[in-house]
Amino acid sequence: MGITKDYWFEQIENNRNRRLAELLGITEDELELLDYDLEIDQSNDGFEYGYIVRFHEDNEPSIMKKVIGLSSGSYVSLSLWDLEDPEKDELEWDVQHPTQLETFNEHLSIIPEIIELQVDREIQFGLLVMLHAHIVSALEGFLSSTFIYNVTNSDRLIRILIETDPEFRCRKFTINEIYAQHSNIKATVAEYLKSLIFHDMRKVKPMYEKVLSYKFGEIKWLFKAILIRHDCVHRAGYNKDGNAVCVSVESINTLITNCRKLAEDVDAHVQKIDH
């Protein structure tokens, strides 16, 4: 996966440079012509205030005149969030990190303690509603990040996805667009996968089977849990008829067990895949 990882590190750098150029009011080409250092602005005790773009003295004056927010002719101060793009950053994490199962287990680790809290019945119901939604969302995140990581780090799996997914089969490109799409195909695939809703198992099951050769088997329990999650998220634990959903300490424990078992099985399978 070395070449693919190098590609993604380059993509991360390109995205940051693009955001930085926009903030400075210059083009990416002009930014490349400048010599500068990007530093963290922090206090003596390590509290981070933001970033400082510190320019070298021998930069082209005509470009430096365009720089927005230039102080003392040598630096620009930025906030911590100026260079952040939450959606891109999350996507980059999915592509780079192979720790999906570890992250999933961390999301569920504290739940057994929470459900043992002694609270009033009404409070407990609200708590169980939130926990049910949290567990299903954690599994959705695991399925999404596992698929994205394995596919985007494999030219072979990217090709299988493109050849089998209806979305890509329906796309048409002009001759001029073919080369651009070819050079950016990994980013195109990653962004497309990130846009999918990974609790829609009607789409997820065939994708996992066709691309990763993984069969979910019997998962009626998951389809049911997803339906309950919808009521938990959109109706605070009540269905469209106004009835409370069936959640309990027992159902939460069972859901945790089932989700852990599925996640571990998926993880064991993808570890054996020849990328």
mmCIF file with all atom_site columns, all heavy atoms in Angstrom, residues 130-142:
data_model
loop_
_atom_site.group_PDB
_atom_site.id
_atom_site.type_symbol
_atom_site.label_atom_id
_atom_site.label_alt_id
_atom_site.label_comp_id
_atom_site.label_asym_id
_atom_site.label_entity_id
_atom_site.label_seq_id
_atom_site.pdbx_PDB_ins_code
_atom_site.Cartn_x
_atom_site.Cartn_y
_atom_site.Cartn_z
_atom_site.occupancy
_atom_site.B_iso_or_equiv
_atom_site.pdbx_formal_charge
_atom_site.auth_seq_id
_atom_site.auth_comp_id
_atom_site.auth_asym_id
_atom_site.auth_atom_id
_atom_site.pdbx_PDB_model_num
ATOM 1  N N   . MET A 1 130 ? -30.927 6.938  23.582 1.00 0.00 ? 130 MET A N   1
ATOM 2  C CA  . MET A 1 130 ? -29.683 7.530  23.082 1.00 0.00 ? 130 MET A CA  1
ATOM 3  C C   . MET A 1 130 ? -28.603 6.468  22.885 1.00 0.00 ? 130 MET A C   1
ATOM 4  O O   . MET A 1 130 ? -27.846 6.523  21.906 1.00 0.00 ? 130 MET A O   1
ATOM 5  C CB  . MET A 1 130 ? -29.204 8.609  24.046 1.00 0.00 ? 130 MET A CB  1
ATOM 6  C CG  . MET A 1 130 ? -30.061 9.867  24.028 1.00 0.00 ? 130 MET A CG  1
ATOM 7  S SD  . MET A 1 130 ? -29.387 11.217 25.033 1.00 0.00 ? 130 MET A SD  1
ATOM 8  C CE  . MET A 1 130 ? -29.782 10.615 26.678 1.00 0.00 ? 130 MET A CE  1
ATOM 9  N N   . LEU A 1 131 ? -28.533 5.518  23.793 1.00 0.00 ? 131 LEU A N   1
ATOM 10 C CA  . LEU A 1 131 ? -27.517 4.467  23.676 1.00 0.00 ? 131 LEU A CA  1
ATOM 11 C C   . LEU A 1 131 ? -27.770 3.579  22.463 1.00 0.00 ? 131 LEU A C   1
ATOM 12 O O   . LEU A 1 131 ? -26.830 3.184  21.764 1.00 0.00 ? 131 LEU A O   1
ATOM 13 C CB  . LEU A 1 131 ? -27.482 3.622  24.952 1.00 0.00 ? 131 LEU A CB  1
ATOM 14 C CG  . LEU A 1 131 ? -26.931 4.321  26.202 1.00 0.00 ? 131 LEU A CG  1
ATOM 15 C CD1 . LEU A 1 131 ? -27.023 3.400  27.407 1.00 0.00 ? 131 LEU A CD1 1
ATOM 16 C CD2 . LEU A 1 131 ? -25.493 4.772  25.975 1.00 0.00 ? 131 LEU A CD2 1
ATOM 17 N N   . HIS A 1 132 ? -29.034 3.255  22.206 1.00 0.00 ? 132 HIS A N   1
ATOM 18 C CA  . HIS A 1 132 ? -29.364 2.435  21.036 1.00 0.00 ? 132 HIS A CA  1
ATOM 19 C C   . HIS A 1 132 ? -28.902 3.147  19.763 1.00 0.00 ? 132 HIS A C   1
ATOM 20 O O   . HIS A 1 132 ? -28.258 2.538  18.898 1.00 0.00 ? 132 HIS A O   1
ATOM 21 C CB  . HIS A 1 132 ? -30.868 2.164  20.976 1.00 0.00 ? 132 HIS A CB  1
ATOM 22 C CG  . HIS A 1 132 ? -31.262 1.288  19.827 1.00 0.00 ? 132 HIS A CG  1
ATOM 23 N ND1 . HIS A 1 132 ? -31.476 -0.070 19.954 1.00 0.00 ? 132 HIS A ND1 1
ATOM 24 C CD2 . HIS A 1 132 ? -31.466 1.565  18.514 1.00 0.00 ? 132 HIS A CD2 1
ATOM 25 C CE1 . HIS A 1 132 ? -31.796 -0.584 18.794 1.00 0.00 ? 132 HIS A CE1 1
ATOM 26 N NE2 . HIS A 1 132 ? -31.797 0.393  17.881 1.00 0.00 ? 132 HIS A NE2 1
ATOM 27 N N   . ALA A 1 133 ? -29.229 4.436  19.652 1.00 0.00 ? 133 ALA A N   1
ATOM 28 C CA  . ALA A 1 133 ? -28.831 5.201  18.467 1.00 0.00 ? 133 ALA A CA  1
ATOM 29 C C   . ALA A 1 133 ? -27.312 5.269  18.357 1.00 0.00 ? 133 ALA A C   1
ATOM 30 O O   . ALA A 1 133 ? -26.746 5.164  17.261 1.00 0.00 ? 133 ALA A O   1
ATOM 31 C CB  . ALA A 1 133 ? -29.419 6.607  18.531 1.00 0.00 ? 133 ALA A CB  1
ATOM 32 N N   . HIS A 1 134 ? -26.654 5.423  19.496 1.00 0.00 ? 134 HIS A N   1
ATOM 33 C CA  . HIS A 1 134 ? -25.191 5.522  19.505 1.00 0.00 ? 134 HIS A CA  1
ATOM 34 C C   . HIS A 1 134 ? -24.547 4.232  19.017 1.00 0.00 ? 134 HIS A C   1
ATOM 35 O O   . HIS A 1 134 ? -23.591 4.263  18.219 1.00 0.00 ? 134 HIS A O   1
ATOM 36 C CB  . HIS A 1 134 ? -24.716 5.836  20.926 1.00 0.00 ? 134 HIS A CB  1
ATOM 37 C CG  . HIS A 1 134 ? -23.228 5.810  21.079 1.00 0.00 ? 134 HIS A CG  1
ATOM 38 N ND1 . HIS A 1 134 ? -22.401 6.816  20.602 1.00 0.00 ? 134 HIS A ND1 1
ATOM 39 C CD2 . HIS A 1 134 ? -22.401 4.883  21.645 1.00 0.00 ? 134 HIS A CD2 1
ATOM 40 C CE1 . HIS A 1 134 ? -21.137 6.514  20.867 1.00 0.00 ? 134 HIS A CE1 1
ATOM 41 N NE2 . HIS A 1 134 ? -21.110 5.353  21.496 1.00 0.00 ? 134 HIS A NE2 1
ATOM 42 N N   . ILE A 1 135 ? -25.042 3.097  19.458 1.00 0.00 ? 135 ILE A N   1
ATOM 43 C CA  . ILE A 1 135 ? -24.458 1.809  19.078 1.00 0.00 ? 135 ILE A CA  1
ATOM 44 C C   . ILE A 1 135 ? -24.596 1.568  17.579 1.00 0.00 ? 135 ILE A C   1
ATOM 45 O O   . ILE A 1 135 ? -23.630 1.184  16.903 1.00 0.00 ? 135 ILE A O   1
ATOM 46 C CB  . ILE A 1 135 ? -25.119 0.659  19.860 1.00 0.00 ? 135 ILE A CB  1
ATOM 47 C CG1 . ILE A 1 135 ? -24.834 0.802  21.352 1.00 0.00 ? 135 ILE A CG1 1
ATOM 48 C CG2 . ILE A 1 135 ? -24.627 -0.697 19.363 1.00 0.00 ? 135 ILE A CG2 1
ATOM 49 C CD1 . ILE A 1 135 ? -25.694 -0.094 22.233 1.00 0.00 ? 135 ILE A CD1 1
ATOM 50 N N   . VAL A 1 136 ? -25.797 1.801  17.046 1.00 0.00 ? 136 VAL A N   1
ATOM 51 C CA  . VAL A 1 136 ? -26.013 1.588  15.611 1.00 0.00 ? 136 VAL A CA  1
ATOM 52 C C   . VAL A 1 136 ? -25.171 2.569  14.799 1.00 0.00 ? 136 VAL A C   1
ATOM 53 O O   . VAL A 1 136 ? -24.597 2.207  13.763 1.00 0.00 ? 136 VAL A O   1
ATOM 54 C CB  . VAL A 1 136 ? -27.507 1.725  15.256 1.00 0.00 ? 136 VAL A CB  1
ATOM 55 C CG1 . VAL A 1 136 ? -27.713 1.591  13.743 1.00 0.00 ? 136 VAL A CG1 1
ATOM 56 C CG2 . VAL A 1 136 ? -28.331 0.667  15.982 1.00 0.00 ? 136 VAL A CG2 1
ATOM 57 N N   . SER A 1 137 ? -25.067 3.814  15.266 1.00 0.00 ? 137 SER A N   1
ATOM 58 C CA  . SER A 1 137 ? -24.239 4.803  14.561 1.00 0.00 ? 137 SER A CA  1
ATOM 59 C C   . SER A 1 137 ? -22.769 4.397  14.585 1.00 0.00 ? 137 SER A C   1
ATOM 60 O O   . SER A 1 137 ? -22.046 4.598  13.606 1.00 0.00 ? 137 SER A O   1
ATOM 61 C CB  . SER A 1 137 ? -24.408 6.179  15.205 1.00 0.00 ? 137 SER A CB  1
ATOM 62 O OG  . SER A 1 137 ? -25.728 6.654  15.054 1.00 0.00 ? 137 SER A OG  1
ATOM 63 N N   . ALA A 1 138 ? -22.321 3.833  15.710 1.00 0.00 ? 138 ALA A N   1
ATOM 64 C CA  . ALA A 1 138 ? -20.934 3.374  15.805 1.00 0.00 ? 138 ALA A CA  1
ATOM 65 C C   . ALA A 1 138 ? -20.665 2.252  14.805 1.00 0.00 ? 138 ALA A C   1
ATOM 66 O O   . ALA A 1 138 ? -19.604 2.205  14.169 1.00 0.00 ? 138 ALA A O   1
ATOM 67 C CB  . ALA A 1 138 ? -20.632 2.906  17.218 1.00 0.00 ? 138 ALA A CB  1
ATOM 68 N N   . LEU A 1 139 ? -21.621 1.340  14.659 1.00 0.00 ? 139 LEU A N   1
ATOM 69 C CA  . LEU A 1 139 ? -21.462 0.253  13.692 1.00 0.00 ? 139 LEU A CA  1
ATOM 70 C C   . LEU A 1 139 ? -21.472 0.798  12.275 1.00 0.00 ? 139 LEU A C   1
ATOM 71 O O   . LEU A 1 139 ? -20.681 0.360  11.425 1.00 0.00 ? 139 LEU A O   1
ATOM 72 C CB  . LEU A 1 139 ? -22.571 -0.785 13.862 1.00 0.00 ? 139 LEU A CB  1
ATOM 73 C CG  . LEU A 1 139 ? -22.472 -1.994 12.919 1.00 0.00 ? 139 LEU A CG  1
ATOM 74 C CD1 . LEU A 1 139 ? -21.200 -2.790 13.196 1.00 0.00 ? 139 LEU A CD1 1
ATOM 75 C CD2 . LEU A 1 139 ? -23.693 -2.897 13.067 1.00 0.00 ? 139 LEU A CD2 1
ATOM 76 N N   . GLU A 1 140 ? -22.349 1.760  12.010 1.00 0.00 ? 140 GLU A N   1
ATOM 77 C CA  . GLU A 1 140 ? -22.387 2.395  10.695 1.00 0.00 ? 140 GLU A CA  1
ATOM 78 C C   . GLU A 1 140 ? -21.034 3.024  10.380 1.00 0.00 ? 140 GLU A C   1
ATOM 79 O O   . GLU A 1 140 ? -20.504 2.878  9.272  1.00 0.00 ? 140 GLU A O   1
ATOM 80 C CB  . GLU A 1 140 ? -23.473 3.470  10.663 1.00 0.00 ? 140 GLU A CB  1
ATOM 81 C CG  . GLU A 1 140 ? -23.508 4.266  9.363  1.00 0.00 ? 140 GLU A CG  1
ATOM 82 C CD  . GLU A 1 140 ? -24.473 5.440  9.423  1.00 0.00 ? 140 GLU A CD  1
ATOM 83 O OE1 . GLU A 1 140 ? -25.229 5.556  10.413 1.00 0.00 ? 140 GLU A OE1 1
ATOM 84 O OE2 . GLU A 1 140 ? -24.461 6.247  8.473  1.00 0.00 ? 140 GLU A OE2 1
ATOM 85 N N   . GLY A 1 141 ? -20.464 3.729  11.351 1.00 0.00 ? 141 GLY A N   1
ATOM 86 C CA  . GLY A 1 141 ? -19.154 4.341  11.149 1.00 0.00 ? 141 GLY A CA  1
ATOM 87 C C   . GLY A 1 141 ? -18.077 3.302  10.893 1.00 0.00 ? 141 GLY A C   1
ATOM 88 O O   . GLY A 1 141 ? -17.191 3.506  10.060 1.00 0.00 ? 141 GLY A O   1
ATOM 89 N N   . PHE A 1 142 ? -18.155 2.185  11.611 1.00 0.00 ? 142 PHE A N   1
ATOM 90 C CA  . PHE A 1 142 ? -17.182 1.109  11.412 1.00 0.00 ? 142 PHE A CA  1
ATOM 91 C C   . PHE A 1 142 ? -17.287 0.538  9.997  1.00 0.00 ? 142 PHE A C   1
ATOM 92 O O   . PHE A 1 142 ? -16.269 0.354  9.317  1.00 0.00 ? 142 PHE A O   1
ATOM 93 C CB  . PHE A 1 142 ? -17.411 -0.005 12.427 1.00 0.00 ? 142 PHE A CB  1
ATOM 94 C CG  . PHE A 1 142 ? -16.670 -1.278 12.112 1.00 0.00 ? 142 PHE A CG  1
ATOM 95 C CD1 . PHE A 1 142 ? -15.318 -1.401 12.408 1.00 0.00 ? 142 PHE A CD1 1
ATOM 96 C CD2 . PHE A 1 142 ? -17.320 -2.346 11.494 1.00 0.00 ? 142 PHE A CD2 1
ATOM 97 C CE1 . PHE A 1 142 ? -14.621 -2.567 12.087 1.00 0.00 ? 142 PHE A CE1 1
ATOM 98 C CE2 . PHE A 1 142 ? -16.639 -3.508 11.177 1.00 0.00 ? 142 PHE A CE2 1
ATOM 99 C CZ  . PHE A 1 142 ? -15.282 -3.614 11.469 1.00 0.00 ? 142 PHE A CZ  1
#
